[in-house]
């Protein structure tokens, strides 16, 4: 039994934007940091702003503020387009979406497939979660489907908080019907009676568009569908972690909870719950319409289908590109057209919970395991290139200070360990005397943190130290 | 289930956590945020262990699995634990108290604590609870115990990350909605939330053993003394059923001991007011009034109401007074006043109302049934049962009727059945029927051990319908080899019969069944002497007819409110009421003509009989408490011309009596009788 809706006053203190925020917000995120020299006055304002804003999803034109409105380049670079084709024409209306073949998959799923067979198609496609965990989506659905409890929920995770990531944002803005269609198929397959669509507050346009879409669909679809509730965030990064998200929806502090039991067994209100990322669900209509097998033929190794990657503003051609898994990193970098300033000194893929990639490693191919192998991780497919203006020690400082700021504080290593590291790194490098302590804390974070945030924090430090130790560590 | 822990293979019956499994076999794993009363939070990250093929996990949340290999302490684990402890200690003031956190710091050789002390983090607005959040290590135990067990939301977490802190509702504990249960004091591992008494009077200089008389379990407890004042009660041991750790026992004594209404000398009513009177004179008056009553009305002119919380020596003295000196049976006690009807059923069926085993032996059961709200009325036992289940020692079937039982016991149960009070009988009838149908009962054995098996089987197979679905319960009980049936008997229970029948049915050559009836508000102890005593109507009648002239009430009255009302209205017609109590209560204030100061259990010498027939010795060791109820009664008896020996001599007589009467009665070899 979980008590819901704890006293709001205290719960709200968890969020940095539950009360008031400045009219114009400036982003302190990592993508804005590495490109700070492109618009120095923006970065200055960001550094002065309290409370801080982390990532406005405008990393293609960063340093960014809430009042600029440029659009990113969007291109399809895969043999077949799964999602990208819905993003090429800007904001779609319901009619536009239908003319592109929208809602055919939902209709087919509702009328011609059994629930079990929908899940089978998704299993066949070998679609994996795009929210960072990479868990096979079909398998997740099956876990919920097999529960005894019949009250079930689906949560769409639109919290996209990773710096440099803005794919979910543009899916929600340009084609909100796509993840909604995927969500309705998912809800139907797992037998969920209600869908919660959680969107971060930093994406006001996404919120408006998804709300609009939910409304406009109501009169259009003749099937009895689960209710979709749109919930808007209040400023927290860790709330994107699925168990924290569930707590947030219940009006509790958005702190992660240990697993197992997984949400598929005990999630929202203690009931079986599937949490899926916006992009993950946006793949579903294609899989249902074309069959899991066809989807599986795209991509390679254990990473199938396509992935939208987002490039930061230091690239000459920053934007969203749909690639098939398996594309070498160097091809992505050249698609971005090289950098506006300086040379590529390294890539941050899947930041902040993932390691750094050195230019020597650019032959690596885009894939879950392949990136893990070089100590990095796919994350949201967010790729931030940095140049020599940003020394690795300072990048690490930015990441660690972000994670310390966003730590929920529940578990010891993350609450106090990231804080301690933040202190040590505040100068932008590590002294030799401090090195042992840094290693000890990082290892402790990796081995004993409760959720991915603390574990990721430790991994980032270890990755930077293994790849840039010589420049990060200074002799006393 | 076979699990290898630190290279040694162990077998476990139930899927319990690695932490509990390890502790069970004597391997300690450090923890701060784990508390056996709470569901795990997994936030301190100290209970780390390494699972072969899986890496480091928190043992408090990871269940054991067949074939699992666990290492509790290798280099990597120790390093991480040490680092987490160091991080925690970096903000902690100098370790001073001997709290669990301080002990861990010492064990890991960490002396870092030297965090600054911020005056604003100290909150002394609450009379019983002292708060110093400088010591807080963010385990959230207080928040969780308040929300999950006390059902309040007094403790709250604000902010996040390194800034997160615990605050009391509204910023001040004294002005919050705290109910002073002090569960948070109990679970706080760092001393951030501490007993105000300890802070005020200091950590105990010494401890002595005593026996808590707050419920019929009569647990042994350890009393901490500072400057000859009791400041702390600790449970006697750490194992379940050593008990004595319940909140009732830990704290209620303060209300009596330190009460502003505490009596220090006798009081006599003069012109409507209570006036101080010398003890010798008071004893003289009491005996005179007793003598007068007997002179006027014969032996029926005097009566006694005795509480269930007295020592055996005191019961003995009262018995002498009533039966030998006066020669009457005019003794009322809480038990017979409340439970007269049910008493008959027990005696008729199994010949005893005593538990068939000492409470400690519940610990060797493999299956336990709990019916009713054990937690509220016998919290120490409730705690122990929950732990037996969580530790995997026994399977637990909980039949819940009230919300509180649900919350506490349900979480620990293997099978949980929720049923309305009126349907408990039906449920057990159904369980009984299925036990028979599915061949789980030893008919050959029962034929010899009961009077009326044939008749019983006829009835349950025929007319008694089975309305509940109880398969899981039946399977659990059927497979058990040592089953304890523990139930809270309420005066209005309709289901006592069916429960007793279940007990009888579960007995067999291959299975031992135990019955442990608990009486929610009243105690069995006094019933030991006065079983078959008189009912409340009888008392009211005697008073009304002005037959009862002098009445003596011994011990704080603990009757259920409904009965108390009826009692009070009849007491108006009694001429002279003598009362012996520790604190002035409404009896003494409005009804008593003569009041003697009594002792709380902390100051008492003597022996208690636990309701499971175990004898517990309390040697008081507070100075200035030499004169006790025993001496008072002795004085009255002597004034009436009857001499008794010393307390030691009395004890020897009592001991002998118990051995003869009770133990013998329990093993009388009488055949059981189904009640249906
Ligand atoms: C600190 C942290 C933050 C996360 N933030 C997000 C997020 O913003 N969006 C998201 O989809 N998943 C996020 N995740 C991953 C979710 O926990 C979860 O795995 C995901 O939503 C599941 O959906 P998927 O299987 O479709 O990827 C985060 C995880 C962690 C540990
Ligand atoms: S790792 Fe950090 S964010 Fe995750 S539960 Fe622990 S304190 Fe919270
Ligand atoms: S006050 Fe005590 S129990 Fe509460 S969080 Fe702090 S250390 Fe834990
Ligand atoms: S006891 Fe397991 S994490 Fe605290």
């Amino acid at each position: 039994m979980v008590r819901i809706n704890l006293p709001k006053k205290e719960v709200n203190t968890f969020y940095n934007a539950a009360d008031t925020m400045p009219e114009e917000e400036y982003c302190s995120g990592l993508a804005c940091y590495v490109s700070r020299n492109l618009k120095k006055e923006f970065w200055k304002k960001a550094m002065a702003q309290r409370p801080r804003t982390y990532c406005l999803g405008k990393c293609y034109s960063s340093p960014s503020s809430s009042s600029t409105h440029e659009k990113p380049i969007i291109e399809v670079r895969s043999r077949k387009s799964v999602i990208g084709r819905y993003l090429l024409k800007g904001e779609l209306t319901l009619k536009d979406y239908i003319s592109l073949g929208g809602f055919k998959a939902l209709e087919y799923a509702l009328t011609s497939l059994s629930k079990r067979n929908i899940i089978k198609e998704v299993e066949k496609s070998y679609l994996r979660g795009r929210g960072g965990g990479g868990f096979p989506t079909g398998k997740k659905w099956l876990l919920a489907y097999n529960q005894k409890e019949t009250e079930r929920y689906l949560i769409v995770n639109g919290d996209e908080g990773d710096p440099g990531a803005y794919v979910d944002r543009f899916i929600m803005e340009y084609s909100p019907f796509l993840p909604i269609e995927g969500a309705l198929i998912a809800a139907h397959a797992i037998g969920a009676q209600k869908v919660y669509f959680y969107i971060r507050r930093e994406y006001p346009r996404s919120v408006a568009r998804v709300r609009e879409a939910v409304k406009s669909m109501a009169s259009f679809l003749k099937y009895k569908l689960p209710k979709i509730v749109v919930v808007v965030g209040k400023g927290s990064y860790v709330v994107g972690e699925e168990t924290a998200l569930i707590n947030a929806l219940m009006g509790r502090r958005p702190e992660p909870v240990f697993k197992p039991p997984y949400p598929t067994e005990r999630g929202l209100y203690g009931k079986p719950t599937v949490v899926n990322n916006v992009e993950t669900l946006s793949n579903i209509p294609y899989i249902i319409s074309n069959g899991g097998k066809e989807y599986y033929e795209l991509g390679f190794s254990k990473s199938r289908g396509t992935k939208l990657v987002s490039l930061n503003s230091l690239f000459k051609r920053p934007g969203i590109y749909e690639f098939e898994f398996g594309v070498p990193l160097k091809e992505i970098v050249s698609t971005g057209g090289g950098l506006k300033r300086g040379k590529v000194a390294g890539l941050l893929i899947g930041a902040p919970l993932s390691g750094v990639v050195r230019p020597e490693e650019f032959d690596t191919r885009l894939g879950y395991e392949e990136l893990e192998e070089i100590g990095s991780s796919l994350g949201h497919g967010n790729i931030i290139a940095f140049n020599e203006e940003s020394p690795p020690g300072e990048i690490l400082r930015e990441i660690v200070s972000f994670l310390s700021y966003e730590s929920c504080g529940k578990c010891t290593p993350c609450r106090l360990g990231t804080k301690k590291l933040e202190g040590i790194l505040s100068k932008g490098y590590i002294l030799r005397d401090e090195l042992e302590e840094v290693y000890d804390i990082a290892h402790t974070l990796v081995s004993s943190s409760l959720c991915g945030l603390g574990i990721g924090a430790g991994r980032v430090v270890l990755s930077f130290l293994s790849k840039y130790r010589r420049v990060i560590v200074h002799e006393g | 289930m076979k699990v290898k822990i630190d290279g040694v293979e162990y077998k476990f019956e139930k899927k319990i956590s690695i932490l509990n499994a390890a502790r069970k076999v004597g391997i300690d794993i450090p923890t701060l945020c784990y508390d056996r009363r709470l569901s795990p939070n997994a936030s301190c990250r100290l209970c780390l262990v390494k699972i072969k093929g899986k890496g480091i996990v928190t043992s408090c949340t990871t269940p054991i699995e067949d074939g699992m290999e666990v290492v509790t302490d290798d280099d990597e684990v120790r390093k991480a634990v040490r680092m987490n402890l160091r991080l925690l200690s970096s903000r902690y003031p100098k370790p001073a108290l001997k709290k669990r956190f301080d002990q861990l710091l010492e064990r890991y050789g960490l002396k870092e604590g030297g965090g600054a002390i911020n005056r604003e983090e100290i909150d002394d607005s609450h009379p019983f609870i002292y708060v110093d959040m400088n010591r807080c290590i963010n385990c959230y135990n207080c928040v969780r115990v308040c929300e999950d067990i006390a059902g309040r939301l007094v403790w709250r977490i604000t902010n996040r990350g390194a800034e997160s802190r615990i605050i009391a509702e509204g910023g001040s504990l004294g002005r919050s909605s705290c109910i002073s249960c002090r569960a948070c004091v109990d679970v706080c591992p760092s001393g951030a939330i501490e007993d105000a008494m300890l802070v005020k009077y200091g950590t105990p200089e010494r401890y002595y053993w005593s026996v808590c008389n707050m419920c019929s379990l009569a647990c042994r407890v350890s009393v901490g003394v500072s400057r000859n004042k009791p400041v702390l009660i600790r449970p006697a041991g750490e194992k379940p059923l050593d008990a004595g750790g319940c909140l009732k026992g830990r704290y209620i004594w303060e209300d009596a001991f330190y009460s502003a209404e505490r009596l220090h000398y006798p009081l006599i009513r003069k012109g409507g007011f209570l006036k101080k009177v010398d003890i010798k004179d008071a004893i003289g008056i009491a005996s005179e009034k007793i003598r007068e009553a007997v002179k006027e009305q014969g032996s029926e002119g005097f009566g006694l109401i005795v509480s269930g919380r007295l020592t055996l020596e005191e019961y003995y003295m009262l018995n002498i007074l009533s039966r030998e000196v006066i020669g009457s049976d005019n003794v009322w006690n809480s038990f017979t006043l409340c439970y007269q009807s049910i008493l008959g059923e027990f005696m008729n069926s199994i010949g005893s109302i005593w538990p068939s085993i000492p409470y400690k032996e519940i610990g060797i059961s493999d299956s336990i049934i709990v019916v009713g709200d054990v937690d509220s009325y016998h919290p120490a036992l409730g705690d122990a049962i929950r732990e037996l289940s969580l530790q995997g020692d026994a399977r637990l079937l909980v039949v819940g009727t009230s919300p509180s039982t649900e919350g506490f016991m349900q979480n620990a149960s293997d099978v949980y059945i929720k049923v309305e009070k009126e349907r408990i009988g039906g449920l057990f009838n159904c369980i009984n029927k299925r036990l028979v149908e599915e061949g789980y009962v030893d008919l050959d054995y029962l034929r010899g051990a009961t009077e009326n098996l044939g008749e019983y089987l006829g009835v349950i197979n025929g007319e008694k319908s089975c309305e509940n679905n109880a398969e899981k319960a039946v399977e659990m009980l059927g497979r058990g080899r040592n089953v304890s049936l523990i139930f809270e008997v309420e005066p209005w229970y309709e289901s006592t019969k069916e429960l007793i029948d279940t007990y009888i049915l579960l007995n067999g050559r291959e299975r031992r069944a135990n019955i442990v009836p608990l009486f929610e508000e009243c105690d069995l102890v006094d019933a030991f002497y006065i079983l078959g005593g008189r009912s409340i109507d009888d008392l009211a009648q005697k008073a009304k007819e002005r037959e009862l002239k002098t009445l003596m009430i011994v011990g704080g009255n603990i009757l259920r409110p409904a009965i108390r009302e009826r009692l009070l209205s009849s007491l108006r017609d009694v001429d002279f009421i003598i009362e012996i109590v520790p604190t002035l209560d409404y009896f003494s204030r409005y009804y008593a003509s003569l009041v003697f100061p009594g002792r709380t259990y902390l100051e008492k010498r003597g022996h208690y009989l636990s309701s499971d027939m175990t004898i517990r010795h309390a040697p008081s060791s507070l100075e200035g408490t030499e004169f006790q109820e025993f001496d008072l009664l002795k004085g009255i008896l002597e004034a009436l011309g009857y001499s008794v020996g010393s307390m030691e001599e009395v004890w020897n007589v009592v001991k002998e009596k118990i051995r003869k009467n009770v133990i013998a009665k329990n093993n009388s070899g009488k055949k059981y009788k189904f009640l249906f």
Side-chain angles (χ1 to χ4, degrees), chain B residues 19 30-34 41-47 58-61:
Chain B
L19 176 66
T31 57
L32 282 175
C33 70
Y34 175 79
N41 192 44
S43 61
C44 75
R45 318 308 281 181
L46 293 184
C47 65
T58 44
S59 63
C60 67
T61 56

Side-chain angles (χ1 to χ4, degrees), chain A residues 238 241 255-257 403 406-415 418 445 449-455, chain B residues 45 161:
Chain A
V238 75
E241 197 282 333
E255 284 169 354
V257 178
L403 292 175
E406 296 291 352
S407 162
C408 81
K410 177 173 178 176
C411 72
T412 307
C414 176
R415 176 178 75 253
T418 55
L445 277 164
S449 291
L450 191 155
C451 88
L453 195 150
I455 297 170
Chain B
R45 318 308 281 181

Side-chain angles (χ1 to χ4, degrees), chain A residues 3 7 10 13-14 235 252-253 255 258 405-408 410-413 415-416 437 440 444 448-450, chain B residues 40-45 48 56 61 83-84 86-88 137-138 140 147 151 156-162:
Chain A
R3 191 192 283 252
E10 281 82 13
T13 61
F14 186 98
R252 300 180 62 89
R253 277 170 70 83
E255 284 169 354
F258 60 86
Y405 181 68
E406 296 291 352
S407 162
C408 81
K410 177 173 178 176
C411 72
T412 307
R415 176 178 75 253
L416 300 169
E437 169 110 323
D440 277 357
T444 303
S448 76
S449 291
L450 191 155
Chain B
N41 192 44
S43 61
C44 75
R45 318 308 281 181
L48 308 172
I56 293 184
T61 56
M83 175 51 79
N84 284 333
R86 258 186 65 198
L87 289 168
L88 287 172
I137 46 126
N138 288 50
Y140 301 176
E147 178 179 336
R156 296 167 184 195
I157 313 164
T158 60
N159 301 332
R160 72 175 182 221

Side-chain angles (χ1 to χ4, degrees), chain B residues 271-287:
Chain B
F273 296 103
L274 289 170
K275 299 250 165 67
K276 183 172 172 177
V277 58
D278 180 71
I279 183 80
K280 280 214 189 73
D281 297 343
I283 289 175
I285 297 168
S287 50

Side-chain angles (χ1 to χ4, degrees), chain B residues 131-194:
Chain B
V131 182
D132 179 359
M133 285 296 170
N134 290 302
R135 310 190 78 85
C136 175
I137 46 126
N138 288 50
C139 67
Y140 301 176
N141 284 2
C142 51
V143 181
R144 291 183 295 134
V145 84
C146 194
E147 178 179 336
D148 298 346
I149 292 195
R152 305 251 137 191
L153 296 168
V154 172
W155 292 112
R156 296 167 184 195
I157 313 164
T158 60
N159 301 332
R160 72 175 182 221
E163 307 299 317
S164 57
R165 328 190 292 120
I166 309 296
I167 58 161
E169 171 196 11
S172 147
L173 189 60
R175 263 167 285 148
S176 72
S177 64
C178 166
I179 51 169
S180 303
C181 74
R182 282 168 278 191
C184 56
V185 174
D186 223 30
V187 297
C188 178
S190 72
I193 303 180
E194 186 57 287

Side-chain angles (χ1 to χ4, degrees), chain A residues 3-294:
Chain A
R3 191 192 283 252
I4 56 170
N5 291 330
L6 290 183
K8 262 217 176 53
K9 187 168 155 231
E10 281 82 13
V11 172
N12 274 346
T13 61
F14 186 98
Y15 300 100
N16 59 354
D19 309 320
T20 50
M21 281 303 271
E23 198 140 305
E24 192 172 12
E25 298 178 38
Y26 290 87
C27 173
S28 302
L30 193 59
C32 291
Y33 165 76
V34 299
S35 59
R36 64 200 175 285
N37 291 333
L38 294 177
K39 270 180 261 172
K40 286 189 175 127
E41 64 304 343
F42 273 42
W43 183 248
K44 229 164 130 189
K45 284 184 181 157
M47 288 296 89
Q49 183 191 311
R50 288 293 175 276
R52 292 181 238 176
T53 298
Y54 274 119
C55 200
L56 292 159
K58 297 177 180 173
C59 322
Y60 50 89
S61 65
S62 54
S64 58
S65 104
S66 56
S67 45
T68 57
H69 300 285
E70 288 119 284
K71 300 291 179 224
I73 295 167
I74 298 185
E75 284 178 15
V76 173
R77 294 292 174 118
S78 50
R79 281 176 292 161
K80 283 182 184 153
S81 174
V82 176
I83 298 174
R85 64 192 207 92
Y86 293 96
L87 307 180
L88 299 174
K89 296 211 178 87
E91 294 192 354
L92 300 187
T93 62
L94 176 58
K95 231 157 120 202
D96 298 336
Y97 183 65
I98 292 167
S99 70
L100 284 173
F103 289 118
K104 286 235 169 67
L106 176 63
E107 182 157 0
Y108 180 61
L110 292 176
T111 54
S112 316
L113 284 177
S114 70
K115 294 179 174 189
R116 185 65 188 91
N117 279 339
I118 298 174
I119 298 175
K120 276 203 177 120
E121 285 310 316
V122 179
E123 284 178 299
K124 257 191 253 163
S125 74
Y126 206 61
L127 171 66
R128 292 167 71 178
R130 304 292 194 242
F135 191 81
T137 307
K139 204 165 155 190
K140 193 187 272 189
W141 292 9
L142 188 61
L143 286 170
Y145 175 85
N146 281 334
Q147 293 296 318
K148 270 206 202 111
E149 173 65 55
T150 52
E151 185 184 334
R152 297 166 191 182
Y153 296 96
L154 178 84
I155 298 174
V156 187
N157 192 343
D159 191 52
E160 195 175 49
D162 291 356
Y166 49 89
V167 168
D168 291 353
R169 176 186 156 199
F170 282 95
I171 293 177
M172 291 187 279
E173 280 187 26
Y174 285 3
S175 188
F177 301 100
L178 187 61
I180 289 176
E181 183 175 1
L184 290 172
I185 295 170
H188 171 69
I190 64 163
Q193 293 89 4
K194 207 164 174 182
V195 177
Y196 286 88
F197 201 133
Y198 189 96
I199 307 170
R200 64 201 300 256
R201 63 168 283 281
E202 290 80 358
Y203 291 180
R205 186 67 195 149
S206 298
V207 175
R209 288 281 293 156
V210 171
R211 283 205 168 125
E212 235 173 74
V214 170
K215 230 198 222 150
S216 68
M217 273 169 37
S219 50
F220 157 72
L221 287 169
K222 44 193 184 301
Y223 307 99
K224 194 181 172 310
L225 293 168
K227 191 172 153 68
I228 302 175
V229 183
V230 179
V231 180
V232 185
K234 299 184 214 166
S236 156
Y237 171 70
V238 75
V239 76
E241 197 282 333
E242 54 189 357
T243 55
L245 185 48
I246 286 168
N247 269 333
L249 290 174
M250 295 192 294
R252 300 180 62 89
R253 277 170 70 83
E255 284 169 354
V257 178
F258 60 86
K259 300 181 265 195
Y262 290 94
T264 45
E265 187 188 332
R266 265 178 47 192
L268 193 61
Y269 306 117
K271 308 294 180 191
T273 303
V274 164
V275 182
N276 269 145
N277 164 264
V278 165
E279 186 184 341
T280 309
L281 290 170
S282 299
N283 285 292
I284 299 297
Y286 181 95
I287 292 168
I288 297 303
S289 298
N290 303 285
K293 199 164 151 279
E294 202 169 315

